[in-house]
Amino acid sequence: MRLTDRQIREAKPKEKAYKLSDGDGLYLLVKPNGRKYWRFKYRFLNKEKGIAFGVYPEVSLADARERRFEARKLKYKEVDPSEHRKEQRRIAIQKDRDTFEHIAREWHENQCRQKSPYYAKQILQRLENDVFPRIGHRPISKLTAKELLEMARKVEDRGAYELAHRAVQICGKIFQYAIVTERADRNPATDLRGFLKVPQTEHHAHLEEKDLPEFLKTLEAYQGSDQTKRALKLMLLTFVRTNELRQARWDEISFEKKEWRIPATRMKMKTMHIVPLSAQALNVLQILRRLTGNYDWVFPSVQGHHKPISNNTMLYALYGMGYKDKATVHGLRATASTILNESGLFERDVIERQLAHQERNRVRAAYDHSEHLPARRKMMEWWGNKLEDMGLHSNAL
């Protein structure tokens, strides 16, 4: 006798689980806790087997009968319904694993572990903000150049042309990874060459040599944090990258050797970098050591000494000094580079090496952290003296 919806609704739990049959192998299992489960029992190759069809009422009586019908059809085709379900589940899982987002996250985990945490986070944020919402759900092997272009156009629509280029470049690397791991056959990112809007080159606002005396005078009069003022002075004297400076640790500084060794893990090109310290840079650090020498960081955050100052600390100080749109922290590197190159006193290779514009040959890069070091020491002393002549007070309390 077939079941009815009323019978199922009114079925009460008992001390032990019991079954209500609907015929042809389909039955409802009523548990002591009141839960009701659909089950289908059948024989295949002379073995009794079973499949769960779900929970009532999420799976209705009509739904359960439809599933029984499909299972019986498979059985008549000499296909085991239970094994067929396992295979379908495996295909679904594999399909999910072959989406662009899944493979992109796998690529990111494998490729970006050798990069700095900041760089790795930046790459993932670009993917999550601009790429995944549009193509992340798509099987990577099915993605077309048209879909990739539409994604890039959405980024261009907000005027972020450089970000659109970078998003496509990252996607190209992910497609290449998918090809190598045999989950895609081609890289549609290569088809987009010439179709994206050309981004205008962005130059960091920086000071010219004639601007430095006034800037140094304004810096000396800065009424903000003493630590931030000295961070800007040290940035001028060493012209390292912002993240390299703000994450400086005292155990990297050698007053005896007059040098600062930045570990490879913090460098953009992942090779250790030596910064010769001029007399002026050492003066700034000596004063800083009285302020922060008890902490790991040279520039600990005021919000918690377990971490360094933020990315924007020095930038906001420049704003407070009236240099918004006139100078950036990164632009101080360009100021130093321009003046050193225009002096004619130092070889370009020496300047480039001190800027850590790294040699791309990885074999050579592993050995060149001390390349041109004697010449770089002389150059950094000359630079420190020049800044002092223009008004930098390195030993002011």
Side-chain angles (χ1 to χ4, degrees), residues 164-192:
H165 270 265
R166 290 180 183 177
V168 172
Q169 287 174 350
I170 294 168
C171 288
K173 294 178 181 179
I174 293 165
F175 278 112
Q176 197 59 42
Y177 175 75
I179 292 170
V180 171
T181 55
E182 299 183 351
R183 287 173 287 182
D185 297 322
R186 62 183 306 276
N187 184 350
T190 59
D191 297 336
L192 268 59

Side-chain angles (χ1 to χ4, degrees), residues 11 40 43 88 95 115-116 118 130 144 151 179 234 257 267 269 286 300 308 318 333 377 385 389 396:
F40 175 63
R43 293 189 69 83
Q88 292 301 110
K95 183 178 178 181
K115 307 293 184 182
S116 69
Y118 175 79
D130 297 322
T144 65
M151 177 275 296
I179 292 170
L234 196 61
K257 294 181 179 180
M267 294 302 300
M269 297 301 176
Q286 288 283 13
L318 289 178
R333 282 168 56 83
R377 291 189 190 281
N385 290 335
D389 290 342

Side-chain angles (χ1 to χ4, degrees), residues 217-240:
K217 182 179 178 181
T218 305
L219 176 58
E220 203 56 46
Y222 175 63
Q223 296 298 306
S225 162
D226 285 345
Q227 179 177 290
T228 304
K229 179 193 289 190
R230 286 168 179 81
L232 285 168
K233 288 182 179 181
L234 196 61
M235 175 63 75
L236 269 170
L237 288 160
T238 61
F239 46 89
V240 294

Side-chain angles (χ1 to χ4, degrees), residues 253-316:
I253 308 293
S254 173
F255 287 92
E256 294 74 22
K257 294 181 179 180
K258 300 180 180 180
E259 65 183 29
W260 169 20
R261 294 194 170 218
I262 307 175
T265 52
R266 289 224 317 282
M267 294 302 300
K268 184 176 181 180
M269 297 301 176
K270 314 314 294 179
T271 56
M272 190 264 285
H273 182 51
I274 298 177
V275 181
L277 297 172
S278 64
Q280 293 78 12
L282 288 168
N283 284 341
V284 172
L285 285 165
Q286 288 283 13
I287 296 169
L288 277 166
R289 188 157 63 169
R290 300 177 202 172
L291 298 173
T292 67
N294 292 329
Y295 307 113
D296 293 332
W297 307 103
V298 176
F299 302 103
S301 170
V302 294
Q303 296 177 345
H305 296 145
H306 59 285
K307 62 181 181 179
I309 57 174
S310 75
N311 271 327
N312 292 322
T313 300
M314 288 182 284
L315 183 62
Y316 289 159

